Each structure stands twice: as C-alpha cells, then as structure tokens.
Amino acid sequence: MGQFFKISAPPRIVGYAAVVGPKEAQGPLADEFDIIFPDDTMGQKTFEKAEGQMFLAAMRRALEKAGLLAEDISFMIGGDLLNQTVSADFTARDIGIPFLGIYGACSNMAESMILASMLLSGGYGQRALCVTGSHFSTAERQYRFPLEHGNQRTPTAQWTVTASGCTVLERKDGAKGPRVESVTIGRVVDMNIKDANNMGAAMAPAAADTILDHYRKGSLPPDYYDMVFTGDLGSLGQQLCSTLLKENGLSIDSRYGDCGSIIFQGLKNVGCGGSGCGCSASVFNSYILNGLKKGKWRRVLLVATGALFSPLTSQQGESIPCIAHAVGVEA
Amino acid sequence: MGQFFKISAPPRIVGYAAVVGPKEAQGPLADEFDIIFPDDTMGQKTFEKAEGQMFLAAMRRALEKAGLLAEDISFMIGGDLLNQTVSADFTARDIGIPFLGIYGACSNMAESMILASMLLSGGYGQRALCVTGSHFSTAERQYRFPLEHGNQRTPTAQWTVTASGCTVLERKDGAKGPRVESVTIGRVVDMNIKDANNMGAAMAPAAADTILDHYRKGSLPPDYYDMVFTGDLGSLGQQLCSTLLKENGLSIDSRYGDCGSIIFQGLKNVGCGGSGCGCSASVFNSYILNGLKKGKWRRVLLVATGALFSPLTSQQGESIPCIAHAVGVEA
C-alpha cells in the first residue's frame, strides 16, 4: 500500500515554469507554456546538452516569476531519465543550489514535490526548487534505437515529450499560491508486463493503486478533487487506469485527465500520447497550475507515473516495475 | 554553499546491516560485516541480479536486527549506480515498501539518511529504511570496460566495492540507538577534472566543501566529532581533502578516515582503494555503527561523496561534477 500523508504546514507554489520544444507547441497547450524553443537542439551541440538547457531555462523562468534568486533557495530536488540523471546533475552544478538528486523515472515531478513539501513543512528550509524534464532524442537513443534508424513504432508506443518543468515551493506566512495539502508515496507495482513499447499498460496499475490509496487513506469523497491528472499513461493506459479504478469502486471519469493524452491531443504519429519526465512536468507547470490560478479548478491531484526498468533489465528478461506518486494541490 | 540543518527531533538508528562479497572479506573489516557471500554471483544468473540480491539481504538483516517487519516501515529511500537505479527499483518491488528513489552516485547512503531523518523528524512516518550498494562487476562493465577485456588500471583508479548497506531509522520516544543530529546537503562542485580514473581527486573538493560548511554553519569546534569519515575518496583523494581542509583552517587529520581507504587496507591491486555506493554503505553499517555501539566513538560525521557524471558525458568531453552530503551521528 502507498503511504498517505497530510502535509502539516502546507507550503505554497510561489513560482512555476514550463519550457518545451517545437513539437509540443503544435499541441493544444501552446499558449500555456512559458518558453517554446524553435528547434530541438536548443542551440547546443548534443541533445543531452539541449536537455540541460531546458532545465536551466525552466529553473530561471520559475525563479523570475517568483521574484527570487538562486541564493534564495534552500535546496533543489531534481532528476531525469538519462543514465546517472546527468541533466539534473549538471544543471545543479550550473545553478549552484544545494542538491538532492532523485530517480523515479517519469514520476520525478511528483516525487520531488512530495519530498520538498514534507521537508519544508517539517521546518527544513524556506524555499525549495523542484525540476525535471526529458527530450525525445535523448530518450529515444538511450532506451530504444539510434535516431538515424528511423524505426517503426508500435501502436501502443508513446512519444517522449521534449520539455522541462520547474516548481518553486515556499513556506512562509503570507506567501501566496496553491498549497500542497497531501501526498501519497507510491509502492512499486509490477503486473509482469515486459513490452517496453506499452508503458501505459505497465504503469496503469501503479497509478490506480496510488489513486485508490490516496482517496481511501485521506477519507476523500470521489468528487473531492475537481481534476485528477495522471502523468503519462497515454490514451490506452488512461483507459486501463479508469477501468481499474471503477473495478475498485472509484468512478472519476468526468474529472480524470492524463498529461500524456492532453499534451499531444490532435497530433498525428505520437502513438498513444506523450511520455517522459517532461510530460507531467510541463503540463503541471503550465495548464494545471494556470487552471488553478484562473479558478478553473480548486483542487487537483497530480499522479505522476514512472516505469522503473532499464534497457539492460529488459535484455535480461525482466518485467517492468512501475510506481506512481500523488500530490494534492489546492488553491 | 551547502545547506546545514540541525535535526529538530533526531530519529534513532534502530537497525543496520552490511553484506559484502568475498574480496571485501579479505580486508580488515571482515569481522564487522553481517553477511559475507562466498562468491560474487550471489547465486544469481547475472551480476545485476547479484547486486539486487545483496540489497535484499541487507534490508532483511537490518529489519531482523531491529526486530521489525517490512510492513512496519513507512517508506524506504534507496538508489544505486546502475542506469535507472534498477537494483533499488527491483528490490523495492520485492520488499513492497512505499519507495522514494534517489540518485546521488556514491553519496547515496548519506543522501538517503539525510532525507529520512528530516522526513521522520518532521512527523512523516514512524520508521524509514535507507539502502544502497554496488557491485564491482556491474559498475566495471557499465562505467569502464567489458569484464572480459581484463583491462589494465591506472594508479589513481579505485576498486568498486561489492556490498550493500541498510540503515533503519525510527522516531519514537524510548527508541534506542545512535541519533542523526545534524546534516548538510551538499552543492555540486566541479574543478574541471575529466579523468574518470581519478575519482578521488574529482570528489575531494566536494567533500572538503561540505565538511567545512558543516563545521562552520553548525559552529562546531574541530574536535566536535571523534571521527569524520569520507565515503570513497581513496588514499589520494583523502590526502587532497585533508590538504584542502587545512588550507581552510580545519585540521582534523588525527580524526579523519576514508571508507574507501579503510575497507581494502593492505590488499593489493585495488589502486587507491574502494569506491561505489556500497563502500560507505557497508563501512558505515558495520565498522562505524559498531564503533558507536561499543563506545569507541561518541560522535561521527559520515560524508559520502558522489561523482555525478556518466560514460556519455565523458564521451562528450564534459568534466566530472561532484557532490558530498554529510550526516552527523551521535551515540
């Protein structure tokens, strides 16, 4: 079972930013993003450096929107999909903030906010920065095939989002912004799916597990959240998650969306939708937080999902262990 | 600058265990370890599965020594050196405890204890499990050369420790064991060293930076800790760190040791000493905690160090960003 916690002294989201590549700007959320890079090299020599460039841009814009400098931040929490999480590592060096590295695959956005909220509310530090992201071209060549291969994709495959998102949290009387009110730390769920091109199906049971735990342990009615957003299940995974929730007595279809389904809605050749750490990170730090700000919703649950496998474990015949972490944000 | 925190309600270390491979048992700490595997496959088909086997053995033994079951643990925090931290991921699945994955390279033992101590003292959960480890053969083939290559090693190279360590923390009135009293979250330090076979030199400045911050921000006299242990600087890195500390006015040579220098002391063909997440994890969860228990020391500072690079960033000409996290443990 997941571990639900009510946050005793809820920190506020005082700054946030989402930066994306050109493909993401073709989707329905173009007007929500803070920065759109016109080409996916971000002016860098390698795609890995391009990914780091997005991290820095997201962090700097989020700090700017919060009216803060890097030295105002007590610590940053970040991670990414690359081996040894080098995008977070190198940008932590560049920005110079004390750094706690995490790895939760595409659940990073929620994991970093869970940790930051609990640490701040416990009295450790005044402000924390949470950052993650992904890049189609770094993920594709690390997890799947060389880009030059131009490989055909299966119908259940998803398209890694090229984006980074950053959230700045603050605990201080008088701080303004949505509050992180409750969290659920997920447990690892593995339904023995081995197809690395069907992440939605692999991750859906973990998402359902965490959502059910969050509602049950928080004693929340089904309509407590105006919207529940899973991170990157895609269209197939979203259907599976919805089915699993209903089978366990929780019907929230009318108030359930998936960041991976939303970000590429209407686009062709993206399979079941978006994936990658940048998927929930960019949708949360634009569309979702903008929606809370505008009063479209009052309470939102972000359930970022991660597939905790590696190309090597797949080669060794292992299944795909998955996790989902939930963050309840209230305006 | 690193971020120093005094832990407001210090949790206690109620259980700990170190498990190692056969080479580690040839060193001076053989009698300190809980489990010594007679061969480095741990009865598994691949070295990656062998690494996971050590994680499970360390977790189970630490729980057993604490008189606890997995379901008594609120959450576990763990990571490792493998791409996508699969040893921690898969064993989190197998043991079924809500899971927060981290990546701080060889600083994992300290990073996990920092997080667990702050979360528990903030009122989140009763007990946390911290785990990490490494395996010579998984690290060698991922970071350096195929094992079959039998590659020559440079004099500054270190030998990845085959081991896992686990610490169980509890906050409860009446709990017994050493307390985590203070921590410093490190910042990333990069002195532009690019030689992946000279990790000690790359990481020493980060270690010195964090140690200096911990003493200064904690307003601690040089003799506050009976011993300061860096994680895996090895003999060369330890000398460099000591020099940097002295240049900055802190002389602690008589009370300064390095886990990487200690674990393989007297052994041949290990270069400058041990490295890997399992190095500080196994030395801390045996020799150091046993020493506190026996009254050999009253206060100890563990400063685990991590090199936050990847083979890919080295190939792309990048230097090696490093980090060190400090945990002050008092009997």
Side-chain angles (χ1 to χ4, degrees):
Chain A
M1 295 237 287
Q3 181 65 56
F4 173 88
F5 288 121
K6 191 109 184 72
I7 301 297
S8 47
R12 303 247 181 194
I13 295 170
V14 295
Y16 61 96
V19 309
V20 302
K23 189 184 183 85
E24 288 65 29
Q26 293 167 20
L29 304 188
D31 294 341
E32 308 269 359
F33 300 127
D34 290 273
I35 299 172
I36 295 167
F37 283 93
D39 84 278
D40 70 353
T41 68
M42 287 84 193
Q44 302 295 309
K45 277 186 186 169
T46 71
F47 288 122
E48 287 74 21
K49 291 184 210 245
E51 186 172 312
Q53 207 56 27
M54 289 194 297
F55 275 60
L56 282 174
M59 290 194 278
R60 287 176 179 147
R61 182 58 66 91
L63 287 172
E64 189 188 308
K65 285 167 77 178
L68 296 169
L69 300 171
E71 44 271 44
D72 298 323
I73 305 297
S74 308
F75 51 82
M76 66 177 271
I77 304 180
D80 54 89
L81 287 175
L82 296 187
N83 297 343
Q84 289 73 56
T85 66
V86 286
S87 294
D89 300 339
F90 278 74
T91 52
R93 176 193 68 185
D94 295 343
I95 205 155
I97 304 171
F99 173 54
L100 293 160
I102 59 166
Y103 185 78
C106 306
S107 73
N108 278 343
M109 193 69 235
E111 184 182 340
S112 61
M113 289 184 58
I114 286 176
L115 283 168
S117 302
M118 294 199 289
L119 296 181
L120 290 174
S121 91
Y124 296 104
Q126 281 290 324
R127 297 177 202 95
L129 183 151
C130 302
V131 67
T132 190
S134 54
H135 192 299
F136 173 78
S137 296
T138 63
E140 196 66 13
R141 66 190 191 179
Q142 180 181 285
Y143 283 102
R144 294 174 192 98
F145 296 98
L147 294 164
E148 296 80 357
H149 197 274
N151 202 60
Q152 268 197 315
R153 304 168 74 81
T154 68
T156 54
Q158 291 172 249
W159 189 276
T160 305
V161 169
T162 298
S164 174
C166 176
T167 311
V168 180
L169 291 164
E170 176 166 5
R171 75 164 162 103
K172 201 177 73 179
D173 293 339
K176 283 194 170 62
R179 304 175 311 277
V180 178
E181 285 280 348
S182 57
V183 302
T184 293
I185 302 170
R187 60 167 177 168
V188 180
V189 176
D190 186 337
M191 302 297 277
N192 204 32
I193 285 176
K194 297 188 177 187
D195 179 2
N197 287 305
N198 195 0
M199 289 297 178
M203 297 192 294
D209 194 71
T210 294
I211 294 169
L212 289 166
D213 276 340
H214 192 86
Y215 275 87
R216 283 177 190 159
K217 296 196 180 168
S219 304
L220 306 175
D223 62 352
Y224 184 80
Y225 291 106
D226 301 315
M227 279 302 287
V228 173
F229 293 100
T230 45
D232 58 345
L233 296 184
S235 52
L236 177 61
Q238 186 178 354
Q239 281 173 44
L240 292 170
C241 179
S242 164
T243 303
L244 288 168
L245 292 176
K246 271 180 248 167
E247 281 178 8
N248 285 278
L250 184 64
S251 284
I252 53 165
D253 274 359
S254 62
R255 49 185 77 228
Y256 171 33
D258 177 74
C259 300
S261 301
I262 294 166
I263 193 166
F264 286 142
Q265 205 169 14
L267 267 68
K268 287 197 174 136
N269 300 322
V270 292
C272 279
S275 66
C277 301
C279 182
S280 60
S282 63
V283 175
F284 177 72
N285 286 292
S286 63
Y287 176 63
I288 297 176
L289 286 176
N290 289 344
L292 281 166
K293 198 175 169 184
K294 288 184 287 193
K296 188 171 172 183
W297 311 299
R298 280 187 315 130
R299 296 181 188 135
V300 162
L301 187 69
L302 174 71
V303 188
T305 42
L308 303 175
F309 78 120
S310 78
L312 188 78
T313 58
S314 288
Q315 285 158 13
Q316 294 186 357
E318 300 277 8
S319 55
I320 303 175
C322 294
I323 200 160
H325 297 299
V327 183
V329 183
E330 311 194 6
Chain B
M1 295 239 284
Q3 180 67 57
F4 173 88
F5 288 120
K6 190 109 185 72
I7 301 297
S8 48
R12 303 251 181 189
I13 295 170
V14 295
Y16 60 96
V19 309
V20 302
K23 189 185 184 81
E24 289 63 30
Q26 293 166 22
L29 303 189
D31 294 341
E32 307 268 0
F33 301 127
D34 291 274
I35 299 171
I36 295 167
F37 282 94
D39 84 280
D40 70 353
T41 67
M42 287 84 194
Q44 302 296 309
K45 278 187 186 168
T46 72
F47 288 123
E48 287 73 21
K49 292 186 210 240
E51 186 172 314
Q53 206 57 25
M54 287 193 298
F55 275 59
L56 283 175
M59 292 193 279
R60 288 178 180 148
R61 181 59 66 92
L63 287 172
E64 188 188 309
K65 285 168 75 178
L68 296 169
L69 300 172
E71 45 271 45
D72 297 323
I73 306 296
S74 308
F75 50 84
M76 67 177 268
I77 304 180
D80 54 88
L81 288 174
L82 296 187
N83 297 342
Q84 288 74 56
T85 66
V86 286
S87 294
D89 301 340
F90 278 75
T91 50
R93 175 193 69 185
D94 295 342
I95 205 155
I97 303 171
F99 174 56
L100 294 160
I102 59 165
Y103 185 77
C106 307
S107 73
N108 278 343
M109 194 68 236
E111 185 183 340
S112 61
M113 287 184 59
I114 287 176
L115 284 168
S117 302
M118 296 199 290
L119 297 180
L120 291 175
S121 90
Y124 297 104
Q126 281 290 326
R127 296 177 204 94
L129 181 151
C130 302
V131 67
T132 189
S134 53
H135 192 298
F136 172 79
S137 297
T138 63
E140 197 66 13
R141 66 190 192 180
Q142 179 180 287
Y143 284 102
R144 295 177 191 95
F145 297 98
L147 292 164
E148 296 77 0
H149 196 274
N151 202 61
Q152 267 197 314
R153 306 167 74 82
T154 69
T156 55
Q158 291 172 247
W159 189 276
T160 306
V161 169
T162 298
S164 175
C166 175
T167 311
V168 180
L169 291 164
E170 176 166 6
R171 75 162 164 102
K172 201 177 72 178
D173 294 338
K176 283 195 171 60
R179 305 175 311 274
V180 178
E181 284 280 346
S182 58
V183 302
T184 292
I185 302 171
R187 60 168 178 168
V188 180
V189 176
D190 187 338
M191 302 298 277
N192 204 34
I193 286 175
K194 297 188 176 185
D195 179 1
N197 286 306
N198 195 359
M199 288 298 177
M203 297 192 294
D209 195 73
T210 294
I211 294 170
L212 289 166
D213 276 342
H214 193 85
Y215 275 87
R216 283 179 189 157
K217 297 198 180 167
S219 304
L220 306 175
D223 61 352
Y224 185 80
Y225 290 106
D226 301 314
M227 280 301 289
V228 174
F229 292 100
T230 45
D232 59 344
L233 297 183
S235 52
L236 178 61
Q238 184 177 356
Q239 281 173 43
L240 293 169
C241 179
S242 165
T243 303
L244 287 167
L245 292 176
K246 271 181 246 168
E247 282 179 9
N248 285 278
L250 184 64
S251 285
I252 52 165
D253 274 0
S254 61
R255 49 186 78 228
Y256 170 32
D258 177 74
C259 300
S261 301
I262 295 166
I263 193 167
F264 286 142
Q265 207 170 12
L267 266 69
K268 287 195 175 138
N269 300 321
V270 291
C272 280
S275 66
C277 301
C279 182
S280 60
S282 64
V283 175
F284 177 72
N285 286 293
S286 62
Y287 177 63
I288 298 177
L289 287 176
N290 288 345
L292 282 166
K293 198 175 168 185
K294 288 184 286 192
K296 187 171 173 184
W297 311 299
R298 278 187 317 130
R299 296 178 186 138
V300 162
L301 187 69
L302 174 72
V303 188
T305 44
L308 303 174
F309 78 119
S310 78
L312 188 79
T313 59
S314 288
Q315 285 158 12
Q316 293 186 358
E318 300 277 9
S319 55
I320 303 174
C322 295
I323 200 160
H325 297 298
V327 184
V329 183
E330 311 194 5

